[in-house]
Amino acid sequence: MNITDMLWVLIKTLIAVSVLMLHVAYVVYFERKVIGHMQARLGPMRVGWHGLLQPLADGLKLFFKEDIIPSQADKPIFYIAPIIGMIATLSSLAVIPLWQGFSIANLNIGILYILALSSVGAYGIILAGWASNSKYSFLGGLRSSAQIISYEISMGLSLVGVMMLAGSANLSDIVNAQAEGWFIWYQPVACLIFVMSAIAETNRAPFDLPEAESELVAGYFTEYSGMRFGLFFMAEYAGMFIMSALGTICFLGGWNGPDLWIFASVPKIVWFLLKVYACIFIYFWLRATLPRYRYDQLMSLGWKVFIPLALANIVVTGVLKMIWR
Amino acid sequence: MTLPQAFFAYIGGMIVVLSLLVVTRKNPVHSVMWMLLLFVHIAALYLFLNAEFLAAIQIIVYAGAILVLFLFVIMLLNLRKEETEKRFQRQWPFGAGIGVVLAVFFVLIVGKIDVIPPLGQYSIDAIRSEGHIMTVGKVLYTEFLLPFEIASLILLVAIIGAVVLAKKRVE
């Protein structure tokens, strides 16, 4: 690898991270607007035109807030937990192909890499819950660790069907394999399981038990304040982006748009981002619509419904692939 | 020292240092954290050997599942007592002495080995052209199908045993 290659990787990393960070800032605004309108409110309106500068104001506020550490906390782990969460989420971006040929690292184990990093990201949450030395945080951390382990299995198994159809775990190859038809039509069960598992993995409503505000104050980040809280917040929204991007790549045909002459000059990334934002909209839609699950229901849903269903899906996919080839 | 050698020296050295940190920390949660770093280094070693699939599995299974279960158990047990009590048994200098002797022994032996094992069909180029996942899958499901199935049967027995132990007794 020579110097120009390394520079190019650096530039690509900068592009991807800045796109993601801008997204994180404005997806919070998007969420507040969407949920506001769903609940017959207006959402943020005061800062800028229709509240468009609200993310900047929120960011500034987070930067200048006091960083409070509980006196009995385990300091090194308390410091490092949000950083682990954030780094694990941001590193997943390295294998996401934003358009044809644009991914920072075109790995053959792309899907496995993302699964591995999402399991490392769970450490941020568990350790934050433990290091805060608070009952609410601790319960949130324990719930989250059990939830993430359980749903990671069903998510991994649901993606096996996609890997079988594409014949590869490389994300670019998976998108190219969907030139004739999106995998959502061939793998509807896997897609459903993936969506549910992705929501559970990112701790979003209706599976946001680790941060259930009615019982646990704020769950694992109850004791965090200022920019450390901000890191958890950003990691959650960046995680939503990664999961939506993975869903887009594996089930919705990635960067490919409609094959019409009017759209020929539209850059591929537009299609990619449109699909990602549609997925993110589903997150908000579910949050505004559904009440929170009970914890034992969540666990039995994961282990007794989704995992057997995903395994059956693998068998059926394998048999059908044998027949049709 | 060439670049691969330097890389291997770094990874190998870090693995030894991190293992020592894991056994010497007083706080079990800190031990687990060092172990996480240790697993990441082992994964890097696999990557270095062109075994990308194993590297990913190392992180997913060991760091993502097994170590989280360790953490889960340690947190539930609330091992505050461990931190104040003495860390090791009385005999630890003796054990450390044996360890050092063995290490010296190994270093001396490894220097003497100069037999290059015969190269099989799975050379680095062969694996690169097909991809590591595909190579491992083919070998596992053709050549080593029986051992693979036996291993999965043993795991199944263990799972059934755990379920039976954990089940409520119905009178």
Side-chain angles (χ1 to χ4, degrees), chain A residues 72 74 76-77 80 84 108-109 111-113 115-117 119-120 122-123 126-127 129-130 133 138 141-143 145-146 149 152 163 167 169, chain B residues 27 29-30 32-33 36 47 52-53 55-57 59-60 62-69 71-72 75-76 78 80 83 128 131-134:
Chain A
Q72 291 295 306
D74 187 316
I77 293 190
I80 209 170
I84 293 178
N108 283 330
I109 51 164
I111 285 185
L112 295 175
Y113 175 84
L115 288 178
L117 280 176
S119 55
V120 171
Y123 281 94
I126 304 169
L127 292 171
W130 180 80
N133 211 351
F138 187 61
L142 283 184
R143 278 186 181 184
S145 54
I149 295 175
E152 208 171 57
M163 287 191 249
Chain B
N27 190 328
V29 175
H30 292 181
V32 169
M33 286 319 292
L36 174 63
L47 275 185
E52 56 209 27
F53 177 66
I57 292 299
I59 299 285
I60 293 175
Y62 283 90
I66 293 179
L67 209 56
V68 172
L69 285 182
L71 209 55
F72 208 79
M75 285 173 169
L76 284 179
N78 199 11
R80 293 280 170 209
E83 292 181 34
R128 272 198 189 143
H132 189 244
I133 300 182
M134 208 170 262

Side-chain angles (χ1 to χ4, degrees), chain A:
Chain A
M1 190 184 241
N2 52 34
I3 297 292
T4 45
D5 280 352
M6 280 164 122
L7 261 179
W8 180 224
V9 168
L10 208 65
I11 292 168
K12 284 208 273 196
T13 313
L14 275 178
I15 293 173
V17 171
S18 45
V19 166
L20 187 72
M21 280 304 153
L22 264 177
H23 145 86
V24 167
Y26 271 89
V27 95
V28 179
Y29 170 78
F30 181 39
E31 170 166 32
R32 291 174 66 178
K33 275 287 184 197
V34 167
I35 292 188
H37 282 284
M38 281 181 178
Q39 295 167 344
R41 296 182 284 116
L42 286 174
M45 287 295 280
R46 299 279 169 176
V47 192
W49 185 77
H50 278 256
L52 263 178
L53 297 176
Q54 185 72 41
L56 295 180
D58 286 345
L60 277 177
K61 184 197 77 174
L62 277 178
F63 264 115
F64 291 112
K65 271 178 94 169
E66 190 189 351
D67 184 20
I68 302 167
I69 296 156
S71 59
Q72 291 295 306
D74 187 316
K75 285 215 178 67
I77 293 190
F78 190 84
Y79 283 138
I80 209 170
I83 299 171
I84 293 178
M86 191 68 197
I87 287 179
T89 317
L90 281 187
S91 315
S92 310
L93 198 63
V95 292
I96 302 275
L98 295 180
W99 63 85
Q100 179 84 48
F102 184 98
S103 54
I104 298 163
N106 192 15
L107 294 186
N108 283 330
I109 51 164
I111 285 185
L112 295 175
Y113 175 84
I114 288 184
L115 288 178
L117 280 176
S118 82
S119 55
V120 171
Y123 281 94
I125 292 172
I126 304 169
L127 292 171
W130 180 80
S132 310
N133 211 351
S134 135
K135 286 193 175 59
Y136 296 127
S137 303
F138 187 61
L139 280 174
L142 283 184
R143 278 186 181 184
S144 167
S145 54
Q147 177 177 331
I148 290 184
I149 295 175
S150 314
Y151 276 85
E152 208 171 57
I153 302 173
S154 54
M155 184 159 84
L157 289 177
S158 72
L159 290 177
V160 169
V162 172
M163 287 191 249
M164 283 162 83
L165 281 189
S168 169
N170 184 319
L171 293 175
S172 301
D173 290 352
I174 288 174
V175 173
N176 288 327
Q178 296 175 64
E180 287 113 56
W182 294 358
F183 280 165
I184 186 172
W185 308 123
Y186 301 110
Q187 293 280 325
V189 180
C191 184
L192 189 74
I193 296 170
F194 176 80
V195 170
M196 299 292 176
S197 310
I199 294 168
E201 279 280 300
T202 42
N203 295 324
R204 296 284 304 180
F207 301 139
D208 58 345
L209 277 307
E211 44 193 275
E213 68 273 357
S214 49
E215 34 188 324
L216 293 180
V217 188
Y220 55 89
F221 54 71
T222 305
E223 305 293 339
Y224 280 84
S225 61
M227 209 47 214
R228 286 180 205 287
F229 163 76
L231 280 177
F232 275 122
F233 197 68
M234 285 195 287
E236 182 177 325
Y237 281 86
M240 278 166 58
F241 181 87
I242 301 288
M243 283 301 158
S244 304
L246 189 60
T248 305
I249 289 164
C250 290
F251 295 105
L252 299 180
W255 59 74
N256 290 321
D259 209 9
L260 289 174
W261 63 271
I262 339 166
F263 299 125
S265 58
V266 176
K268 295 287 190 196
I269 190 163
V270 172
W271 301 121
F272 183 78
L273 286 179
L274 268 180
K275 289 173 190 174
V276 168
Y277 280 108
C279 295
I280 290 177
F281 175 76
I282 292 175
Y283 269 108
F284 301 156
W285 191 8
L286 286 175
R287 182 181 160 187
T289 313
L290 295 174
R292 186 175 293 128
Y293 252 63
R294 219 171 60 206
Y295 194 68
D296 58 322
Q297 288 175 333
L298 172 81
M299 282 318 231
S300 58
L301 184 72
W303 286 97
K304 293 181 188 163
V305 180
F306 284 159
I307 292 178
L309 210 59
L311 284 171
N313 181 57
I314 293 174
V315 175
V316 171
T317 309
V319 169
L320 290 184
K321 204 180 168 185
M322 286 291 282
I323 292 172
W324 263 308
R325 250 226 307 211

